[in-house]
Amino acid sequence: GVQDPQHEKIITVTTNGSIHSPKFPHTYPRNTVLVWRLVAVEENVWIQLTFDERFGLEDPEDDICKYDFVEVEEPSDGTVLGRWCGSSSVPSRQISKGNQIRVRFVSDEYFPSEPGFCIHYTLLVPHHTEAPSPSLLPPSALPLDVLNNAVAEFSTVEELIRYLEPDRWQLDLEDLYRPTWQLLGKAYIHGRKSR
């Protein structure tokens, strides 16, 4: 795991920024351990990590990164989200579960390579659907005439679905536009064509 608190550098995240291996994009030093803990000031935000396209650390051995690597850990439960080395592919985007995330960089005494790595971090605000205030009943619980008037106000199907299904309207809308011919019998389709 990423347990190196004595090396840990805490970075308070308020805006976008980046962390990188020493001397990036040139050869990083040997025998190095660096740990960054990115901490967002607000509780209810996530931190997104995006790796620079220029990525290269010492190659793995038997597909295992054991010499030089960069590792990302979720501090809330200690899970390692990923460990990367080599230069064949750029690591994928990583998103924290809470308002903290840790990055650890390790190089041994042999074969440092270039360019190392650079990770850009940004804040994400999770899209929670606002809880309706207690005065707002779900549409299904409204009296029929009130519901009727509300529905009459909408000019598009999207508005209607969004009103009736605030939590899953996007899924429902996607279902609307998905072709359903594979669910219909051949006779129906041929009949419709001839009509």
Side-chain angles (χ1 to χ4, degrees):
V2 184
Q3 305 312 325
D4 277 303
Q6 72 274 19
H7 296 285
E8 192 170 80
K9 179 179 180 189
I10 293 177
I11 297 176
T12 305
V13 180
T14 51
T15 57
N16 301 349
S18 61
I19 54 177
H20 53 81
S21 53
K23 301 184 182 172
F24 176 87
H26 305 292
T27 308
Y28 51 83
R30 298 185 289 194
N31 287 327
T32 304
V33 175
L34 293 170
V35 181
W36 296 268
R37 181 193 287 262
L38 304 177
V39 181
V41 180
E42 296 171 49
E43 290 287 311
N44 53 348
V45 293
W46 298 332
I47 299 172
Q48 172 180 282
L49 304 181
T50 311
F51 284 79
D52 193 286
E53 294 297 313
R54 295 166 295 174
F55 180 84
L57 303 175
E58 186 180 347
D59 286 331
E61 182 178 290
D62 303 327
D63 289 334
I64 298 169
C65 296
K66 40 183 160 181
Y67 305 120
D68 298 355
F69 58 83
V70 61
E71 185 173 73
V72 173
E73 183 196 76
E74 171 58 54
S76 63
D77 55 11
T79 49
V80 173
L81 302 176
R83 176 189 275 198
W84 302 275
C85 62
S87 55
S88 54
S89 64
V90 178
S92 60
R93 200 175 54 165
Q94 303 295 315
I95 297 176
S96 65
K97 292 180 189 165
N99 69 329
Q100 299 190 19
I101 198 160
R102 291 178 88 196
V103 178
R104 177 170 171 241
F105 167 61
V106 172
S107 68
D108 67 2
E109 55 192 314
Y110 305 106
F111 311 121
S113 55
E114 58 176 45
F117 69 89
C118 178
I119 300 174
H120 305 285
Y121 54 82
T122 51
L123 289 175
L124 289 182
V125 179
H127 295 297
H128 294 305
T129 48
E130 283 77 43
S133 52
S135 61
L136 281 176
L137 292 166
S140 54
L142 293 172
L144 200 54
D145 53 336
V146 177
L147 187 58
N148 210 7
N149 291 339
V151 168
E153 298 292 311
F154 300 126
S155 54
T156 66
V157 173
E158 182 179 320
E159 289 172 1
L160 175 65
I161 295 179
R162 191 184 292 199
Y163 172 70
L164 294 173
E165 293 282 354
D167 296 330
R168 48 163 295 141
W169 68 272
Q170 282 171 307
L171 295 169
D172 288 340
L173 202 64
E174 283 166 25
D175 285 343
L176 268 184
Y177 293 112
R178 192 170 292 136
T180 52
W181 54 266
Q182 65 270 37
L183 306 176
L184 303 169
K186 264 190 184 152
Y188 176 81
I189 291 173
H190 291 310
R192 197 170 72 184
K193 275 187 187 156
S194 61
R195 241 180 281 147

PDB file of all heavy atoms in Angstrom, residues 135-156:
ATOM      1  N   SER A 135     -43.046  19.688   0.917  1.00  0.00           N
ATOM      2  CA  SER A 135     -44.312  20.187   0.370  1.00  0.00           C
ATOM      3  C   SER A 135     -44.554  19.625  -1.036  1.00  0.00           C
ATOM      4  O   SER A 135     -45.690  19.598  -1.499  1.00  0.00           O
ATOM      5  CB  SER A 135     -44.297  21.711   0.325  1.00  0.00           C
ATOM      6  OG  SER A 135     -43.241  22.127  -0.517  1.00  0.00           O
ATOM      7  N   LEU A 136     -43.462  19.205  -1.713  1.00  0.00           N
ATOM      8  CA  LEU A 136     -43.630  18.694  -3.074  1.00  0.00           C
ATOM      9  C   LEU A 136     -43.927  17.199  -3.037  1.00  0.00           C
ATOM     10  O   LEU A 136     -43.071  16.399  -2.680  1.00  0.00           O
ATOM     11  CB  LEU A 136     -42.353  18.921  -3.886  1.00  0.00           C
ATOM     12  CG  LEU A 136     -42.137  20.326  -4.428  1.00  0.00           C
ATOM     13  CD1 LEU A 136     -40.788  20.405  -5.114  1.00  0.00           C
ATOM     14  CD2 LEU A 136     -43.231  20.708  -5.397  1.00  0.00           C
ATOM     15  N   LEU A 137     -45.114  16.847  -3.420  1.00  0.00           N
ATOM     16  CA  LEU A 137     -45.451  15.430  -3.493  1.00  0.00           C
ATOM     17  C   LEU A 137     -44.918  14.874  -4.804  1.00  0.00           C
ATOM     18  O   LEU A 137     -44.795  15.609  -5.780  1.00  0.00           O
ATOM     19  CB  LEU A 137     -46.972  15.259  -3.471  1.00  0.00           C
ATOM     20  CG  LEU A 137     -47.663  15.615  -2.151  1.00  0.00           C
ATOM     21  CD1 LEU A 137     -49.163  15.738  -2.374  1.00  0.00           C
ATOM     22  CD2 LEU A 137     -47.378  14.551  -1.110  1.00  0.00           C
ATOM     23  N   PRO A 138     -44.598  13.570  -4.845  1.00  0.00           N
ATOM     24  CA  PRO A 138     -44.255  13.006  -6.150  1.00  0.00           C
ATOM     25  C   PRO A 138     -45.479  13.121  -7.056  1.00  0.00           C
ATOM     26  O   PRO A 138     -46.609  13.063  -6.575  1.00  0.00           O
ATOM     27  CB  PRO A 138     -43.909  11.550  -5.834  1.00  0.00           C
ATOM     28  CG  PRO A 138     -44.529  11.268  -4.514  1.00  0.00           C
ATOM     29  CD  PRO A 138     -44.580  12.586  -3.780  1.00  0.00           C
ATOM     30  N   PRO A 139     -45.265  13.276  -8.364  1.00  0.00           N
ATOM     31  CA  PRO A 139     -46.402  13.481  -9.278  1.00  0.00           C
ATOM     32  C   PRO A 139     -47.496  12.444  -9.114  1.00  0.00           C
ATOM     33  O   PRO A 139     -48.681  12.766  -9.173  1.00  0.00           O
ATOM     34  CB  PRO A 139     -45.760  13.398 -10.654  1.00  0.00           C
ATOM     35  CG  PRO A 139     -44.342  13.800 -10.443  1.00  0.00           C
ATOM     36  CD  PRO A 139     -43.984  13.335  -9.061  1.00  0.00           C
ATOM     37  N   SER A 140     -47.100  11.181  -8.861  1.00  0.00           N
ATOM     38  CA  SER A 140     -48.106  10.123  -8.779  1.00  0.00           C
ATOM     39  C   SER A 140     -49.056  10.319  -7.596  1.00  0.00           C
ATOM     40  O   SER A 140     -50.144   9.770  -7.565  1.00  0.00           O
ATOM     41  CB  SER A 140     -47.415   8.762  -8.669  1.00  0.00           C
ATOM     42  OG  SER A 140     -46.510   8.798  -7.577  1.00  0.00           O
ATOM     43  N   ALA A 141     -48.627  11.121  -6.588  1.00  0.00           N
ATOM     44  CA  ALA A 141     -49.461  11.302  -5.404  1.00  0.00           C
ATOM     45  C   ALA A 141     -50.356  12.534  -5.519  1.00  0.00           C
ATOM     46  O   ALA A 141     -51.139  12.821  -4.616  1.00  0.00           O
ATOM     47  CB  ALA A 141     -48.572  11.419  -4.170  1.00  0.00           C
ATOM     48  N   LEU A 142     -50.227  13.279  -6.609  1.00  0.00           N
ATOM     49  CA  LEU A 142     -51.021  14.501  -6.762  1.00  0.00           C
ATOM     50  C   LEU A 142     -52.459  14.168  -7.142  1.00  0.00           C
ATOM     51  O   LEU A 142     -52.720  13.150  -7.785  1.00  0.00           O
ATOM     52  CB  LEU A 142     -50.411  15.378  -7.861  1.00  0.00           C
ATOM     53  CG  LEU A 142     -49.043  15.971  -7.585  1.00  0.00           C
ATOM     54  CD1 LEU A 142     -48.497  16.635  -8.852  1.00  0.00           C
ATOM     55  CD2 LEU A 142     -49.091  16.981  -6.458  1.00  0.00           C
ATOM     56  N   PRO A 143     -53.378  15.049  -6.763  1.00  0.00           N
ATOM     57  CA  PRO A 143     -54.757  14.860  -7.239  1.00  0.00           C
ATOM     58  C   PRO A 143     -54.786  14.953  -8.764  1.00  0.00           C
ATOM     59  O   PRO A 143     -53.971  15.656  -9.356  1.00  0.00           O
ATOM     60  CB  PRO A 143     -55.524  16.040  -6.616  1.00  0.00           C
ATOM     61  CG  PRO A 143     -54.616  16.660  -5.613  1.00  0.00           C
ATOM     62  CD  PRO A 143     -53.221  16.201  -5.904  1.00  0.00           C
ATOM     63  N   LEU A 144     -55.720  14.254  -9.372  1.00  0.00           N
ATOM     64  CA  LEU A 144     -55.734  14.123 -10.826  1.00  0.00           C
ATOM     65  C   LEU A 144     -55.824  15.466 -11.548  1.00  0.00           C
ATOM     66  O   LEU A 144     -55.125  15.695 -12.536  1.00  0.00           O
ATOM     67  CB  LEU A 144     -56.902  13.218 -11.247  1.00  0.00           C
ATOM     68  CG  LEU A 144     -56.762  12.606 -12.638  1.00  0.00           C
ATOM     69  CD1 LEU A 144     -55.439  11.870 -12.772  1.00  0.00           C
ATOM     70  CD2 LEU A 144     -57.909  11.674 -12.934  1.00  0.00           C
ATOM     71  N   ASP A 145     -56.656  16.376 -11.055  1.00  0.00           N
ATOM     72  CA  ASP A 145     -56.803  17.646 -11.763  1.00  0.00           C
ATOM     73  C   ASP A 145     -55.504  18.464 -11.718  1.00  0.00           C
ATOM     74  O   ASP A 145     -55.129  19.116 -12.696  1.00  0.00           O
ATOM     75  CB  ASP A 145     -57.985  18.460 -11.207  1.00  0.00           C
ATOM     76  CG  ASP A 145     -57.888  18.647  -9.699  1.00  0.00           C
ATOM     77  OD1 ASP A 145     -57.221  17.807  -9.059  1.00  0.00           O
ATOM     78  OD2 ASP A 145     -58.455  19.628  -9.168  1.00  0.00           O
ATOM     79  N   VAL A 146     -54.787  18.406 -10.566  1.00  0.00           N
ATOM     80  CA  VAL A 146     -53.511  19.121 -10.448  1.00  0.00           C
ATOM     81  C   VAL A 146     -52.498  18.520 -11.424  1.00  0.00           C
ATOM     82  O   VAL A 146     -51.793  19.239 -12.143  1.00  0.00           O
ATOM     83  CB  VAL A 146     -52.971  19.041  -8.996  1.00  0.00           C
ATOM     84  CG1 VAL A 146     -51.617  19.727  -8.895  1.00  0.00           C
ATOM     85  CG2 VAL A 146     -53.969  19.648  -8.026  1.00  0.00           C
ATOM     86  N   LEU A 147     -52.447  17.192 -11.456  1.00  0.00           N
ATOM     87  CA  LEU A 147     -51.528  16.502 -12.353  1.00  0.00           C
ATOM     88  C   LEU A 147     -51.863  16.837 -13.807  1.00  0.00           C
ATOM     89  O   LEU A 147     -50.991  17.123 -14.619  1.00  0.00           O
ATOM     90  CB  LEU A 147     -51.636  14.988 -12.119  1.00  0.00           C
ATOM     91  CG  LEU A 147     -50.632  14.111 -12.859  1.00  0.00           C
ATOM     92  CD1 LEU A 147     -49.205  14.496 -12.500  1.00  0.00           C
ATOM     93  CD2 LEU A 147     -50.851  12.640 -12.531  1.00  0.00           C
ATOM     94  N   ASN A 148     -53.143  16.857 -14.101  1.00  0.00           N
ATOM     95  CA  ASN A 148     -53.609  17.159 -15.453  1.00  0.00           C
ATOM     96  C   ASN A 148     -53.147  18.542 -15.892  1.00  0.00           C
ATOM     97  O   ASN A 148     -52.620  18.722 -16.992  1.00  0.00           O
ATOM     98  CB  ASN A 148     -55.135  17.079 -15.463  1.00  0.00           C
ATOM     99  CG  ASN A 148     -55.642  16.659 -16.832  1.00  0.00           C
ATOM    100  OD1 ASN A 148     -54.859  16.320 -17.706  1.00  0.00           O
ATOM    101  ND2 ASN A 148     -56.955  16.685 -16.998  1.00  0.00           N
ATOM    102  N   ASN A 149     -53.307  19.519 -15.007  1.00  0.00           N
ATOM    103  CA  ASN A 149     -52.890  20.886 -15.324  1.00  0.00           C
ATOM    104  C   ASN A 149     -51.377  20.978 -15.501  1.00  0.00           C
ATOM    105  O   ASN A 149     -50.884  21.667 -16.381  1.00  0.00           O
ATOM    106  CB  ASN A 149     -53.331  21.867 -14.225  1.00  0.00           C
ATOM    107  CG  ASN A 149     -54.841  22.036 -14.210  1.00  0.00           C
ATOM    108  OD1 ASN A 149     -55.512  21.755 -15.205  1.00  0.00           O
ATOM    109  ND2 ASN A 149     -55.384  22.463 -13.085  1.00  0.00           N
ATOM    110  N   ALA A 150     -50.648  20.275 -14.623  1.00  0.00           N
ATOM    111  CA  ALA A 150     -49.180  20.299 -14.701  1.00  0.00           C
ATOM    112  C   ALA A 150     -48.719  19.714 -16.037  1.00  0.00           C
ATOM    113  O   ALA A 150     -47.881  20.300 -16.727  1.00  0.00           O
ATOM    114  CB  ALA A 150     -48.585  19.506 -13.543  1.00  0.00           C
ATOM    115  N   VAL A 151     -49.288  18.582 -16.411  1.00  0.00           N
ATOM    116  CA  VAL A 151     -48.889  17.907 -17.641  1.00  0.00           C
ATOM    117  C   VAL A 151     -49.232  18.772 -18.858  1.00  0.00           C
ATOM    118  O   VAL A 151     -48.494  18.817 -19.831  1.00  0.00           O
ATOM    119  CB  VAL A 151     -49.568  16.515 -17.729  1.00  0.00           C
ATOM    120  CG1 VAL A 151     -49.410  15.921 -19.118  1.00  0.00           C
ATOM    121  CG2 VAL A 151     -48.966  15.585 -16.683  1.00  0.00           C
ATOM    122  N   ALA A 152     -50.337  19.487 -18.779  1.00  0.00           N
ATOM    123  CA  ALA A 152     -50.753  20.333 -19.899  1.00  0.00           C
ATOM    124  C   ALA A 152     -49.745  21.448 -20.179  1.00  0.00           C
ATOM    125  O   ALA A 152     -49.679  21.976 -21.285  1.00  0.00           O
ATOM    126  CB  ALA A 152     -52.127  20.930 -19.614  1.00  0.00           C
ATOM    127  N   GLU A 153     -48.948  21.808 -19.163  1.00  0.00           N
ATOM    128  CA  GLU A 153     -47.969  22.892 -19.315  1.00  0.00           C
ATOM    129  C   GLU A 153     -46.767  22.479 -20.173  1.00  0.00           C
ATOM    130  O   GLU A 153     -46.062  23.322 -20.700  1.00  0.00           O
ATOM    131  CB  GLU A 153     -47.429  23.327 -17.933  1.00  0.00           C
ATOM    132  CG  GLU A 153     -48.485  23.889 -17.013  1.00  0.00           C
ATOM    133  CD  GLU A 153     -49.014  25.232 -17.506  1.00  0.00           C
ATOM    134  OE1 GLU A 153     -48.191  26.100 -17.833  1.00  0.00           O
ATOM    135  OE2 GLU A 153     -50.251  25.384 -17.580  1.00  0.00           O
ATOM    136  N   PHE A 154     -46.500  21.171 -20.256  1.00  0.00           N
ATOM    137  CA  PHE A 154     -45.277  20.721 -20.917  1.00  0.00           C
ATOM    138  C   PHE A 154     -45.442  20.731 -22.420  1.00  0.00           C
ATOM    139  O   PHE A 154     -46.501  20.389 -22.942  1.00  0.00           O
ATOM    140  CB  PHE A 154     -44.888  19.307 -20.456  1.00  0.00           C
ATOM    141  CG  PHE A 154     -44.636  19.231 -18.984  1.00  0.00           C
ATOM    142  CD1 PHE A 154     -45.298  18.297 -18.195  1.00  0.00           C
ATOM    143  CD2 PHE A 154     -43.740  20.094 -18.369  1.00  0.00           C
ATOM    144  CE1 PHE A 154     -45.064  18.238 -16.828  1.00  0.00           C
ATOM    145  CE2 PHE A 154     -43.511  20.038 -17.011  1.00  0.00           C
ATOM    146  CZ  PHE A 154     -44.172  19.110 -16.233  1.00  0.00           C
ATOM    147  N   SER A 155     -44.352  21.116 -23.110  1.00  0.00           N
ATOM    148  CA  SER A 155     -44.440  21.135 -24.569  1.00  0.00           C
ATOM    149  C   SER A 155     -43.654  19.985 -25.197  1.00  0.00           C
ATOM    150  O   SER A 155     -43.782  19.721 -26.378  1.00  0.00           O
ATOM    151  CB  SER A 155     -43.920  22.472 -25.101  1.00  0.00           C
ATOM    152  OG  SER A 155     -42.629  22.712 -24.598  1.00  0.00           O
ATOM    153  N   THR A 156     -42.792  19.323 -24.410  1.00  0.00           N
ATOM    154  CA  THR A 156     -42.031  18.201 -24.979  1.00  0.00           C
ATOM    155  C   THR A 156     -42.167  16.970 -24.097  1.00  0.00           C
ATOM    156  O   THR A 156     -42.439  17.076 -22.895  1.00  0.00           O
ATOM    157  CB  THR A 156     -40.524  18.522 -25.094  1.00  0.00           C
ATOM    158  OG1 THR A 156     -39.990  18.653 -23.774  1.00  0.00           O
ATOM    159  CG2 THR A 156     -40.286  19.816 -25.860  1.00  0.00           C
TER     160      THR A 156
END
